[in-house]
Amino acid sequence: MNETIQTLMNRKSVRKFTDQSVSDDTKQIVLEAAMHAPSAGAMMLYSIIEVEDQALKDILAESCDHQPFIATAPWLLLFVADYQRWFDYYKVSNAPALCAEFGRVPRTPQEGDFLLACMDTLIAAQNAVIAAEALGLGSCYIGDIVEHYEQIRDLFRLPRYAAPIVLLCFGYPTEDQKNRKPVERFDKKYIVHKNQYPSFSDQDLLNMFPKEDIIPNNPLGRLPQGQRNYIRKFTADFSIEMSRSVREMLKNWQQTNPDS
């Protein structure tokens, strides 16, 4: 199999790392790979913050749904959807003053700009993940970074049009992590469709998990997957907080004062 395809197929989340540090040369390669990701209009609507301060790591380990391994990961990157840099550039270029001449109305970044910046940010993050994998580094996406927006904003001094989208943990995987099997994926028929979205029958949906796994010593461990996921994730406190936090992010992007 092609080496690049093999890297993509073998990649899995790693949450246990050795004590080996990540060299500066390796970091630079991963960062360069991230910055070569596809980007809307080549605008690169993201910023990347290397989190080196141990105090910050400790806070993130708690705020991101209490995951201690975040505090000990050798290398952390915070990927931020960033329209602030461009909006500041527009203002310093006196671009809004041209609106009247061209029959346009000055505006601030809005929902579409937020989503576009999120796309750029996540594509760059995935480039970093695959580059790291090719270099022998394990990685783990931390989506919980979108919780507690106000705290994260203040910790990293994020301006109005910069929002935390994903945190990535990197390090060299332990032997047990190397040998762990990747999480089983859905059958392709549930994911890949032609021309239009399909209509799944009740039985189709129940068959997505033909084999119910049992988790020992877990009160939810014998529930069917749909019930277990609904209780453990969809209605959990962290999920509720995630939605509240994202609403707060969007408030910053929806204000209409062009001088902001």
Side-chain angles (χ1 to χ4, degrees):
M1 185 182 290
N2 175 280
E3 187 176 349
T4 301
I5 300 300
Q6 192 68 58
T7 299
L8 288 164
M9 297 295 191
N10 289 342
R11 192 267 163 191
K12 59 193 173 189
S13 293
V14 172
R15 294 177 175 83
K16 293 181 182 177
F17 305 105
T18 69
D19 294 333
Q20 182 180 352
S21 62
V22 182
S23 71
D24 288 341
D25 286 345
T26 297
K27 290 179 180 179
Q28 291 311 308
I29 293 171
V30 171
L31 291 169
E32 286 290 336
M35 293 173 62
H36 278 77
S39 169
M43 293 175 71
M44 300 176 71
L45 297 170
Y46 57 86
S47 286
I48 305 171
I49 298 175
E50 294 188 81
V51 185
E52 296 180 335
D53 188 295
Q54 188 58 50
L56 288 175
K57 289 185 175 184
D58 292 339
I59 292 171
L60 292 174
E62 283 302 308
S63 67
C64 293
D65 202 31
H66 315 293
Q67 300 185 76
F69 82 94
I70 295 173
T72 56
W75 191 34
L76 292 185
L77 295 181
L78 174 59
F79 283 75
V80 176
D82 183 4
Y83 224 106
Q84 189 69 53
R85 183 174 61 248
W86 270 93
F87 192 58
D88 290 344
Y89 179 50
Y90 290 151
K91 289 190 291 185
V92 78
S93 300
N94 205 28
L98 291 175
C99 284
E101 182 179 340
F102 286 89
R104 305 285 175 83
V105 177
R107 72 177 185 90
T108 58
Q110 296 294 300
E111 299 93 331
D113 308 299
F114 177 80
L115 186 57
L116 198 64
C118 289
M119 293 178 195
D120 268 17
T121 305
L122 291 169
I123 296 168
Q126 183 64 5
N127 255 35
V129 161
I130 298 307
E133 186 76 16
L135 295 170
L137 282 174
S139 61
C140 186
Y141 274 99
I142 307 295
D144 299 284
I145 193 66
V146 301
E147 299 171 44
H148 310 293
Y149 165 63
E150 298 88 342
Q151 179 188 21
I152 302 302
R153 176 195 62 197
D154 294 346
L155 276 177
F156 294 98
R157 300 181 183 177
L158 300 179
R160 177 173 166 183
Y161 299 117
I165 299 302
V166 72
L167 180 70
L168 277 174
C169 301
F170 294 97
Y172 292 96
T174 58
E175 284 302 314
D176 65 316
Q177 291 287 289
K178 288 180 183 178
N179 297 327
R180 184 174 53 81
K181 291 183 179 179
V183 175
E184 190 174 346
R185 287 340 196 213
F186 288 122
D187 189 288
K188 188 164 62 175
K189 67 183 179 183
Y190 293 104
I191 305 298
V192 181
H193 318 297
K194 292 188 184 296
N195 299 321
Q196 61 185 13
Y197 193 89
S199 178
F200 293 118
S201 70
D202 291 352
Q203 193 58 52
D204 285 335
L205 294 171
L206 292 172
N207 288 342
M208 282 199 305
F209 291 94
K211 215 173 36 170
E212 292 291 353
D213 60 320
I214 303 300
I215 303 177
N217 305 317
N218 186 311
L220 303 177
R222 293 188 174 274
L223 292 178
Q225 185 65 248
Q227 295 178 2
R228 186 193 306 170
N229 188 282
Y230 189 86
I231 298 301
R232 190 170 74 90
K233 290 183 175 290
F234 191 68
T235 60
D237 289 345
F238 79 86
S239 189
I240 304 303
E241 163 56 24
M242 190 177 292
S243 290
R244 183 212 65 80
S245 183
V246 171
R247 281 195 297 271
E248 190 63 31
M249 287 184 205
L250 282 167
K251 284 182 184 177
N252 282 345
W253 293 66
Q254 292 171 322
Q255 297 179 49
T256 57
N257 181 1
D259 296 324
S260 298

